[in-house]
Amino acid sequence: VQYEVEATILGETGDEMLGDRKKCQKIIRLKSLNTNTDVAALARKVVEECKLIHPSKLSEVEQLLFYLQNRKKASGKEKRVVKPRDLTPFEGMEIDEEANINKVEEYVELLYEGMEEKVKGATLILHLARNPVNLEELLENETALGALARVLREDWKQSVELATTIIYVFFCFSSFSQFHGLVTHYKIGALCMNVMEHELKRYDLWQDELQKKTRTYILHFRLWALRKEHEKAFKKYQGLLVKQEQLLRVALYLLLNLAEDTRTELKMRNKNIVHMLVKTLDRENEELLVLVVSFLKKLSIFLENKNDMAEVDTVERLSRLVPCEHEDLLNITLRLLLNLSFDTGLRIKMVQVGLLPKLTSLLGDENHKQMAMCILYHISVDDRFKSMFAYTDCIPQVTVQHLILDQNKLFLCNGLKMLMKRALKLKDPLLMKMIRNISQHDGPPKHLFIDYVGDLAAQITPDENEEYVIECLGTLANLTIADLDWELVLKEYNLVPYFKDRLKPGSAEDDLILEVVIMIGTVSMDDSCAAMLAKSGIIPAIIELLNAQQEDDEFVCQIVYVFYQMVFHQATREVIIKETQAPAYLIDLMHDKNAEIRKVCDNTLDIIAGYPPVTPVSLRGILLCNPSLSEGILLCNPSLSEGILLCNPSLSEGILLCNPSLSEGYPPV
């Protein structure tokens, strides 16, 4: 029952001086509620005894009791109603007694008894926690949770069953993000890390002991007593291993849930989680391996974790899992290998451990060929390994895949008319994105889009949904077709004013502004179209955008590409050189850290340098000379009439720097 208590302090005259209001909760325990209970009579009794509930709420109470009664019936038919995530029950969880939420205090008392009673109490609480309906009520019981955390801290080394059961209880809470604070509060994550470290050391000791007994048995194979002793030791080892792997699985699943928070994940890394996970890859339990590889895949997206994996034999241990019969394990292993294949050193290890033929064999598997092909592509980037593909079936397999891909492209082209009609009618961004992807392919598919240029251009208006417009612009920008009259398109659909408005920084989402820049780069291939854009004053707007987005490499690269396209045409070249500071920006960007930007700038400046100076008669400007070129680059400044000629004896030309305070230039040295 939720209710509020309002307290008010009145003054001598009866006026309110101070007031406070507090939200409270009262839990009414219905111990007598069962399948035969008269719900109407019980509802009347609750209303009569609880003064907080107004009699007008009687029907509401009755409905709630009816719900509780039916919920209990359902839980009676099927004890395991909901399983948190997909962690299945393990051996030792079975218990004769049915857990009851009203008896939690009794179960907590068992946690203060002997080891057997502790295991029983924890198991009964676990049965309750596995039903998410009970979690909120258990959350309110700080005594129970505190007792569980205390017993785990004190006794986890004494009993694997007890440790597994209690961690499983907290795992049930960790399956829901809103309860992660509770698990962190009791430091269960840190305890799980300690448990993992301890159990991995125990595993190493078991392995050493078993190997010693195996060697002794082999050396004295005729002794019947030693054979019996060896069989007994191996059976004991297998029993211990099953229980240990149950514990590791529950602890790891809890840690994986908590790793949703990157800060918590960083703490795990600092406690060597990567090395522990890689060490666990030697196990044979496939369910445990799925969990371990999933955890490693999640960690691998961060550079530091990937470097940790490179330091140990991660790839070597993963190679034994490719291929394997367990579909989920194979799939997640390939995804982890794909993440790791971005690292050159790890790609070398993949080849060294013999993954190349294994991956090639998966190209014929419909479920895994995509992942395998991506990893093989990364390996093929390295020239050292290209020749090794000749010794596998990779090339014939990929050839078949390529033929299938071509058939798919042809099918998509035939369906383009229907697809375009539906996308334009519904104005669906996802359908238009699919069309945009088709338009990226060179060859015959691209020419099919000529019939739809007008329809696409008509969608580019301020009133349309931005996400939809982005895809339409992207599709048009992909149409680098020589025969397309872009000038006519821009005029008929009045796109230039739209472009100018969208080029203003902050006028729209960055994705839309970027698509406009890319579109301008495409249409600038046309001479008359480039001249029209220059006359409209769009170049200064692009330079202003360059100033605003100079930290964004994608923007800078696309804007420089626009300049690259425009300097091919005399009309725009003269505007860029005479009336803007674009060449100065291009020279500055030659020092940019991004190689692609430097490359486009270099090509653009080469084109400018390849043409004669725009105003050879005038001495207004800066003549930047290059000994490898017969001409210099003339950067014009219309406001200056004179300059300083700084000559370099090693060059056939000099640099003319303008200075308005001088009536004449300095003569050559």
Side-chain angles (χ1 to χ4, degrees):
V1 181
Q2 311 287 345
Y3 64 98
E4 287 186 355
V5 175
E6 185 175 353
T8 307
I9 299 174
L10 303 178
E12 293 178 1
T13 58
D15 297 330
E16 183 179 327
M17 293 181 64
L18 186 65
D20 190 20
R21 178 175 291 184
K22 183 181 178 183
K23 290 186 177 180
C24 302
Q25 181 189 73
K26 177 179 175 62
I27 295 176
I28 301 173
R29 300 196 178 277
L30 306 167
K31 296 183 179 180
S32 61
L33 182 64
N34 55 51
T35 53
N36 301 316
T37 302
D38 183 347
V39 173
L42 182 58
R44 286 194 296 272
K45 184 180 179 183
V46 169
V47 172
E48 286 172 8
E49 293 187 2
C50 182
K51 303 303 180 185
L52 295 169
I53 304 175
H54 193 270
S56 63
K57 298 282 186 181
L58 179 62
S59 59
E60 200 173 324
V61 173
E62 189 174 333
Q63 285 178 342
L64 287 169
L65 294 177
F66 178 76
Y67 162 74
L68 289 170
Q69 186 183 47
N70 282 279
R71 187 189 71 179
K72 196 160 186 179
K73 283 180 186 175
S75 64
K77 290 176 185 175
E78 188 180 349
K79 292 179 183 177
R80 297 188 182 113
V81 181
V82 181
K83 298 176 182 178
R85 298 279 176 98
D86 59 350
L87 188 58
T88 52
F90 52 85
E91 188 180 346
M93 264 187 63
E94 300 83 5
I95 198 164
D96 296 332
E97 184 180 344
E98 184 178 348
N100 189 324
I101 193 68
N102 296 317
K103 295 181 178 179
V104 174
E105 284 77 8
E106 295 177 22
Y107 306 153
V108 172
E109 288 175 10
L110 292 172
L111 298 175
Y112 294 90
E113 303 294 332
M115 189 58 68
E116 190 176 335
E117 288 78 12
K118 286 178 180 178
V119 173
K120 182 181 178 182
T123 305
L124 286 163
I125 294 173
L126 173 58
H127 276 262
L128 294 173
R130 292 191 69 245
N131 186 343
V133 175
N134 296 323
L135 289 178
E136 287 200 11
E137 192 161 343
L138 286 171
L139 182 68
E140 298 294 329
N141 197 327
E142 293 184 12
T143 306
L145 296 175
L148 286 168
R150 177 189 59 77
V151 171
L152 180 62
R153 273 195 307 274
E154 294 174 358
D155 297 332
W156 66 267
K157 287 184 181 179
Q158 310 303 319
S159 168
V160 173
E161 291 89 347
L162 181 64
T164 306
T165 305
I166 295 178
I167 292 173
Y168 202 152
V169 172
F170 285 101
F171 161 76
C172 294
F173 284 99
S174 75
S175 298
F176 302 93
S177 299
Q178 63 265 38
F179 298 139
H180 283 188
L182 164 83
V183 182
T184 306
H185 171 73
Y186 289 107
K187 295 183 169 54
I188 304 301
L191 272 171
C192 286
M193 293 290 293
N194 293 338
V195 168
M196 272 195 68
E197 187 177 11
H198 177 76
E199 291 302 325
L200 290 174
K201 287 178 181 177
R202 285 181 69 197
Y203 176 75
D204 290 340
L205 291 173
W206 294 345
Q207 290 278 77
D208 291 342
E209 188 180 340
L210 186 66
Q211 284 175 6
K212 285 177 185 177
K213 290 187 176 179
T214 303
R215 282 196 296 268
T216 306
Y217 169 64
I218 291 170
L219 290 170
H220 305 85
F221 65 95
R222 294 182 179 178
L223 296 178
W224 179 258
L226 284 176
R227 179 183 173 184
K228 293 290 286 182
E229 187 180 341
H230 177 263
E231 288 177 355
K232 184 180 177 182
F234 185 71
K235 193 173 181 180
K236 179 185 176 183
Y237 165 76
Q238 285 184 315
L240 291 170
L241 196 61
V242 168
K243 290 182 178 180
Q244 187 189 66
E245 288 179 346
Q246 287 172 352
L247 174 57
L248 288 174
R249 191 164 165 235
V250 178
L252 273 174
Y253 222 142
L254 182 143
L255 290 170
L256 179 58
N257 289 346
L258 294 182
E260 283 180 6
D261 185 340
T262 52
R263 292 168 300 180
T264 305
E265 186 179 297
L266 181 60
K267 290 178 183 177
M268 294 180 193
R269 179 188 175 260
N270 293 337
K271 291 195 172 186
N272 223 12
I273 184 71
V274 172
H275 288 227
M276 285 193 267
L277 288 168
V278 173
K279 205 171 181 182
T280 315
L281 287 173
D282 289 337
R283 305 299 179 106
E284 298 297 329
N285 185 316
E286 290 178 333
E287 294 303 320
L288 176 62
L289 286 171
V290 168
L291 190 55
V292 171
V293 178
S294 300
F295 208 150
L296 285 169
K297 176 184 164 291
K298 183 185 185 307
L299 294 169
S300 68
I301 64 174
F302 290 102
L303 181 66
E304 297 83 1
N305 296 330
K306 184 268 297 178
N307 291 340
D308 286 348
M309 292 178 206
E311 289 175 5
V312 290
D313 50 354
T314 308
V315 172
E316 291 87 334
R317 292 173 191 245
L318 288 172
S319 65
R320 76 179 185 90
L321 303 177
V322 180
C324 67
E325 293 182 3
H326 196 290
E327 285 288 309
D328 291 339
L329 179 56
L330 179 56
N331 182 269
I332 199 68
T333 302
L334 290 173
R335 290 175 182 276
L336 172 57
L337 286 169
L338 177 59
N339 286 1
L340 298 178
S341 68
F342 285 89
D343 183 278
T344 306
L346 290 171
R347 286 202 300 272
I348 293 171
K349 282 188 179 179
M350 289 179 194
V351 175
Q352 289 173 344
V353 300
L355 269 173
L356 197 57
K358 290 182 176 184
L359 291 166
T360 302
S361 68
L362 292 173
L363 291 176
D365 188 328
E366 196 65 33
N367 294 326
H368 305 295
K369 69 178 180 183
Q370 189 66 35
M371 283 296 110
M373 196 175 292
C374 289
I375 301 167
L376 287 168
Y377 168 74
H378 282 177
I379 294 172
S380 71
V381 170
D382 198 318
D383 291 336
R384 289 171 292 180
F385 306 131
K386 286 178 181 176
S387 60
M388 299 182 73
F389 281 83
Y391 300 99
T392 69
D393 292 332
C394 183
I395 295 170
Q397 290 264 23
V398 172
T399 304
V400 172
Q401 299 293 335
H402 183 68
L403 290 171
I404 294 170
L405 188 61
D406 284 345
Q407 290 176 350
N408 289 340
K409 284 184 190 174
L410 186 62
F411 171 76
L412 283 171
C413 292
N414 292 334
L416 181 61
K417 184 177 180 181
M418 294 178 64
L419 198 63
M420 185 70 78
K421 184 178 178 182
R422 186 169 181 81
L424 293 170
K425 181 181 177 182
L426 300 177
K427 299 189 183 297
D428 188 332
L430 283 176
L431 278 176
M432 193 55 72
K433 187 185 286 290
M434 185 177 177
I435 291 168
R436 178 181 177 178
N437 289 342
I438 298 170
S439 71
Q440 290 176 346
H441 298 290
D442 292 323
K446 193 160 284 191
H447 288 271
L448 294 172
F449 282 86
I450 293 176
D451 296 336
Y452 306 106
V453 169
D455 293 324
L456 290 166
Q459 309 305 308
I460 302 169
T461 65
D463 302 326
E464 288 290 356
N465 175 273
E466 281 195 2
E467 194 179 347
Y468 176 65
V469 173
I470 286 170
E471 302 306 330
C472 293
L473 275 168
T475 306
L476 286 171
N478 285 335
L479 305 183
T480 50
I481 303 169
D483 302 333
L484 200 53
D485 188 348
W486 282 115
E487 184 187 13
L488 182 64
V489 174
L490 295 188
K491 284 180 178 177
E492 187 169 341
Y493 296 97
N494 198 29
L495 292 180
V496 175
Y498 177 86
F499 290 167
K500 284 187 72 176
D501 288 342
R502 286 291 174 266
L503 286 174
K504 294 173 185 174
S507 63
E509 292 291 328
D510 281 356
D511 288 346
L512 178 56
I513 299 173
L514 182 61
E515 288 301 331
V516 169
V517 174
I518 296 170
M519 181 69 184
I520 292 170
T522 299
V523 300
S524 295
M525 294 167 60
D526 184 282
D527 187 63
S528 56
C529 195
M532 185 174 75
L533 288 172
K535 288 176 186 175
S536 71
I538 213 166
I539 296 174
I542 293 174
I543 291 175
E544 185 184 347
L545 181 64
L546 178 60
N547 282 326
Q549 299 284 358
Q550 56 187 312
E551 299 300 323
D552 190 317
D553 283 0
E554 182 66 20
F555 263 102
V556 173
C557 196
Q558 293 298 343
I559 290 171
V560 173
Y561 179 74
V562 171
F563 293 148
Y564 171 76
Q565 289 290 358
M566 286 187 167
V567 294
F568 277 107
H569 316 295
Q570 184 178 351
T572 45
R573 188 168 61 250
E574 289 190 7
V575 173
I576 287 172
I577 296 174
K578 279 184 178 181
E579 300 175 14
T580 74
Q581 296 295 319
Y585 279 111
L586 292 170
I587 292 167
D588 286 342
L589 289 169
M590 285 294 293
H591 303 288
D592 195 273
K593 61 183 178 182
N594 188 303
E596 282 300 315
I597 292 174
R598 294 199 304 271
K599 183 179 176 182
V600 181
C601 285
D602 189 41
N603 292 339
T604 309
L605 288 170
D606 280 349
I607 293 165
I608 293 173
Y611 286 92
V614 180
T615 52
V617 179
S618 171
L619 294 178
R620 298 175 297 175
I622 305 173
L623 186 63
L624 303 183
C625 297
N626 188 326
S628 65
L629 302 173
S630 59
E631 302 277 351
I633 304 172
L634 184 66
L635 306 186
C636 297
N637 189 329
S639 64
L640 305 175
S641 59
E642 303 291 344
I644 306 171
L645 186 64
L646 303 183
C647 296
N648 188 326
S650 65
L651 303 175
S652 59
E653 303 286 345
I655 304 175
L656 185 64
L657 304 181
C658 296
N659 189 327
S661 65
L662 300 173
S663 59
E664 294 186 3
Y666 288 113
V669 176

